[in-house]
Amino acid sequence: MVTSETRAVSSFKKILSVSVAAALIFTMAVGLTACGSGSVDKEISIDIPDSDIVGNRVEAPVKTEYFTDNNLRTIEGEYEAPSYVNADASDLIQIDGLKNKEVQQTINDKIRGTFMEMITDTNPPPVRGAKLAVRDFLDEEGNLLPSEITVDCYVEASFENILSVKLWKYITYGSYEYDNCCWYSDTKVLNFDLNTGNELKLQDLFADNVDACKYINRYTNKLLETTDYESEEVFAYTDQFQIKLASPFEGFSDDVEFFVSDYDGSVNIILDYRTPEFYVGDNGTDTTWISIPYCEEMGYTEKFDNEEWLFEDEDVSYSLIVKPVDENHKVRMQENPDLSDVGEMIYYNKSLEYYDYQSEGFVNYAKKLYDNVEDVDGLIKDVEKYRKSYDGEISASHYYNLSSESVGKYEILSVDEILSAESIVGEDYYPIFYDETVQYITMDSTKSKIVGIDDLFVDGIDFEEAVLKQMLAKKAEVEEWTAESGREFVWSDKTEEYLKAMIESINGFRLGNRSLAFSFKYNAEAMAADYIGCDADLLWYYAYLCTGELYYRDFGCKSLTIFG
């Protein structure tokens, strides 16, 4: 039940502060970091007439630490597929769970209409040279028939009463088998206001005193400052594609295609044939996007807020804002000495990575850990000891790596350490020692205080009982996985005792946007072997009960202090 207290909590969180990176990056699609100054630049201010306002009037800066998730469900929609459609790989989604069924139907009709339009259109997208490339694939009557079409649609974002849906199409002509084919991809995006079912424009996501188009163009130009479009220089890579400038960038228009990301709240600008100045992929016909992370100039956390809860499911859940990684702001420290004089297979490496926008207290703490780790002399002494006790050549290593990230106001340090040694006789390796540990350390950047597991739950919540409940809920998952491999997951009468022992050994946690993971003093698989003694290939499944993600919504977000 959504009470006035719940709405008050939702409203209160809107005024909390957030640390936002001021840099430009590329993620799976190229990323641009937004500003985090807390003030609106005069160069990007705008005065929009009241008649053009969509949603509530909101002025930047807009401060928040986390988002309110929509309580929508997605269901599979049925459709009649032409023979050339790969029905197994094509998915039509429809939404369910809105109280207003008329709005829900409006949204579903638009998603279905766009899906069917894409799946029945046999023409390639209007890219240069496409018509010429497919002319060999006409039938006797002059109709263009593809050998396959796949269309997949999925929700990219569902929070703050907005919904963002992306549809991706892959169309093939000819046959790969006979090396006589060509293919194209196409992307369409739909962004909705769940209050009305109306589609959103880019400006609707920004505060009313910010010109969205000028904002994204300004930061895109920053990215391109050192790029000469006439050269062959690649100015950015994504996980899949390289991006070049095919012609001078003169700015995106107000009607540019975009979607919102559920992971970090970023606004993502589609790059494809509609933005010909960007050459995407090997042949210039691929699709990717520029990701502009959430910033205080974006107003959608308040624009579409409604005193009336829009969803049938009354439970409220939140998600933390993940700050994007910006390589331009990364600081790296490393020691990797040459130990070839000690032995050809002796390795030592320790490293620390943090970002110059992270808090001074966090950085100093990380540097202290880095400085205090055992130095290379300890490894050399161990190697000499092993040589006296074991035959053959010795292989030994010590890896100590510290990496950092920011989620909301929290800064997280992941400490990974591996110590190993082997005796090598001929072609055989004989293990001497192996130990791997992982620890998460989380700091509240506003207080420069390490946050412990006790601090994660509000007063009155038994965190051990809450964590144990979520661990036990994973039983169905591991039973399904083992059954798929022809094994049976044995639920020992000692399993709960084992999980309680692991909970007592928690030494840190890592926050994600919608879930958390724990680190432990003891190795989860080794502890499972001691408590349960099952077959070795089942130990991982017991360890998963401890190390898998645990979702905030399953704990009940109001039981967690991170959303207070």
Side-chain angles (χ1 to χ4, degrees):
M1 183 72 181
V2 177
T3 63
S4 58
E5 177 189 4
T6 301
R7 298 307 299 169
V9 170
S10 179
S11 298
F12 173 73
K13 65 98 175 180
K14 303 289 187 181
I15 63 173
L16 298 176
S17 63
V18 60
S19 298
V20 180
L24 231 49
I25 65 163
F26 274 74
T27 57
M28 166 185 175
V30 189
L32 299 172
T33 305
C35 61
S37 63
S39 62
V40 180
D41 195 305
K42 293 181 179 180
E43 294 181 26
I44 55 174
S45 64
I46 186 173
D47 184 17
I48 300 176
D50 288 348
S51 60
D52 292 335
I53 294 175
V54 175
N56 306 319
R57 173 172 275 283
V58 176
E59 292 195 355
V62 180
K63 299 177 181 291
T64 186
E65 286 182 349
Y66 52 88
F67 300 129
T68 302
D69 293 330
N70 300 332
N71 248 326
L72 284 180
R73 300 178 293 275
T74 57
I75 56 178
E76 185 176 347
E78 297 182 356
Y79 64 94
E80 292 187 11
S83 59
Y84 48 78
V85 169
N86 186 343
D88 292 334
S90 299
D91 295 309
L92 167 63
I93 63 165
Q94 301 278 263
I95 64 164
D96 189 32
L98 274 179
K99 288 181 180 179
N100 190 323
K101 297 304 177 184
E102 183 177 347
V103 169
Q104 180 172 290
Q105 190 61 51
T106 297
I107 293 172
N108 281 335
D109 287 347
K110 182 62 178 180
I111 296 174
R112 173 180 288 276
T114 304
F115 179 88
M116 294 306 299
E117 176 184 318
M118 296 179 75
I119 211 163
T120 56
D121 185 0
T122 62
N123 295 304
V127 299
R128 178 178 295 181
K131 290 184 178 180
L132 184 62
V134 301
R135 65 181 181 179
D136 294 334
F137 305 105
L138 300 174
D139 62 16
E140 295 180 353
E141 299 178 355
N143 298 315
L144 179 61
L145 290 179
S147 52
E148 183 180 328
I149 288 181
T150 298
V151 177
D152 190 20
C153 69
Y154 39 90
V155 172
E156 285 284 356
S158 181
F159 58 93
E160 299 293 355
N161 292 340
I162 63 173
L163 176 71
S164 191
V165 176
K166 184 163 66 177
L167 298 95
W168 183 84
K169 175 179 180 177
Y170 183 86
I171 184 168
T172 306
Y173 305 92
S175 171
Y176 286 107
E177 182 179 357
Y178 298 103
D179 196 25
N180 180 33
C181 71
C182 59
W183 61 269
Y184 299 92
S185 63
D186 193 10
T187 301
K188 294 188 183 299
V189 286
L190 302 169
N191 304 283
F192 299 100
D193 173 4
L194 294 181
N195 292 279
T196 62
N198 294 335
E199 288 192 65
L200 300 175
K201 297 179 180 179
L202 181 66
Q203 181 62 53
D204 299 331
L205 298 182
F206 282 75
D208 293 299
N209 59 333
V210 176
D211 187 322
C213 198
K214 286 184 179 179
Y215 184 92
I216 63 174
N217 287 337
R218 174 179 172 178
Y219 280 95
T220 303
N221 277 316
K222 283 186 178 181
L223 176 69
L224 303 176
E225 282 178 351
T226 59
T227 302
D228 178 4
Y229 78 91
E230 294 180 346
S231 73
E232 293 299 318
E233 179 185 1
V234 175
F235 73 83
Y237 285 92
T238 70
D239 290 344
Q240 295 178 334
F241 303 120
Q242 62 183 22
I243 298 176
K244 302 178 183 179
L245 276 181
S247 61
F249 175 68
E250 297 181 357
F252 297 112
S253 60
D254 291 328
D255 59 353
V256 67
E257 295 284 320
F258 69 92
F259 65 92
V260 186
S261 169
D262 219 2
Y263 179 66
D264 57 6
S266 60
V267 175
N268 302 273
I269 309 301
I270 296 290
L271 304 182
D272 58 9
Y273 58 87
R274 289 162 289 196
T275 54
E277 63 268 53
F278 293 96
Y279 188 94
V280 183
D282 293 334
N283 59 4
T285 63
D286 291 313
T287 301
T288 188
W289 50 90
I290 292 177
S291 179
I292 305 177
Y294 176 79
C295 67
E296 295 175 355
E297 277 64 44
M298 296 175 186
Y300 59 76
T301 57
E302 294 184 4
K303 270 207 170 184
F304 309 105
D305 195 13
N306 193 319
E307 289 303 317
E308 178 187 356
W309 186 246
L310 302 183
F311 312 99
E312 295 174 333
D313 188 338
E314 301 289 345
D315 290 336
V316 179
S317 62
Y318 307 117
S319 57
L320 292 172
I321 299 173
V322 177
K323 183 176 294 184
V325 174
D326 185 351
E327 298 296 328
N328 294 323
H329 286 253
K330 178 184 288 186
V331 180
R332 181 176 176 82
M333 301 169 61
Q334 182 174 7
E335 290 184 28
N336 185 20
D338 180 4
L339 298 180
S340 57
D341 58 332
V342 180
E344 291 185 0
M345 302 186 70
I346 309 302
Y347 308 99
Y348 178 88
N349 183 86
K350 73 172 183 177
S351 63
L352 165 63
E353 291 182 351
Y354 62 91
Y355 298 90
D356 60 15
Y357 50 72
Q358 292 184 300
S359 68
E360 182 179 0
F362 177 78
V363 171
N364 289 339
Y365 183 87
K367 287 181 177 179
K368 184 177 180 180
L369 287 181
Y370 177 82
D371 291 337
N372 290 341
V373 69
E374 183 182 16
D375 60 22
V376 68
D377 292 337
L379 175 63
I380 295 174
K381 289 178 181 179
D382 287 339
V383 169
E384 295 304 322
K385 179 180 65 175
Y386 298 143
R387 283 176 176 155
K388 294 177 181 179
S389 304
Y390 297 91
D391 296 329
E393 184 182 356
I394 297 298
S395 169
S397 61
H398 183 181
Y399 297 103
Y400 186 83
N401 301 304
L402 295 159
S403 58
S404 65
E405 60 189 311
S406 298
V407 182
K409 66 179 181 180
Y410 300 96
E411 296 171 322
I412 304 158
L413 194 67
S414 296
V415 183
D416 301 289
E417 185 169 18
I418 301 176
L419 297 168
S420 66
E422 295 175 309
S423 172
I424 307 173
V425 181
E427 296 182 355
D428 297 323
Y429 287 70
Y430 298 94
I432 297 174
F433 180 80
Y434 183 86
D435 184 43
E436 179 178 1
T437 59
V438 177
Q439 183 181 6
Y440 302 131
I441 301 170
T442 300
M443 177 179 286
D444 182 338
S445 63
T446 63
K447 302 176 181 178
S448 291
K449 174 187 174 183
I450 300 296
V451 182
I453 183 65
D454 291 333
D455 301 315
L456 186 61
F457 293 87
V458 301
D459 292 340
I461 299 294
D462 184 340
F463 79 83
E464 290 190 1
E465 180 180 346
V467 173
L468 177 62
K469 179 181 178 182
Q470 298 311 317
M471 288 180 171
L472 292 172
K474 291 181 173 293
K475 176 183 177 182
E477 291 182 60
V478 294
E479 285 179 336
E480 180 181 353
W481 293 342
T482 50
E484 289 175 353
S485 61
R487 297 298 304 274
E488 179 182 359
F489 181 73
V490 181
W491 192 256
S492 167
D493 56 1
K494 293 185 177 181
T495 300
E496 189 166 325
E497 181 183 348
Y498 152 70
L499 293 176
K500 288 181 178 179
M502 291 303 300
I503 292 172
E504 290 177 359
S505 78
I506 291 174
N507 61 9
F509 58 89
R510 178 173 178 264
L511 300 171
N513 68 326
R514 286 181 171 80
S515 64
L516 61 88
F518 296 109
S519 60
F520 303 89
K521 180 179 179 180
Y522 304 112
N523 179 280
E525 289 190 36
M527 286 281 283
D530 291 341
Y531 270 84
I532 302 165
C534 59
D535 294 340
D537 58 351
L538 285 177
L539 290 176
W540 181 87
Y541 295 103
Y542 282 95
Y544 172 75
L545 297 174
C546 300
T547 58
E549 291 182 309
L550 302 178
Y551 290 91
Y552 303 139
R553 65 171 182 268
D554 294 331
F555 285 114
C557 287
K558 290 198 291 183
S559 68
L560 298 169
T561 57
I562 56 177
F563 298 116

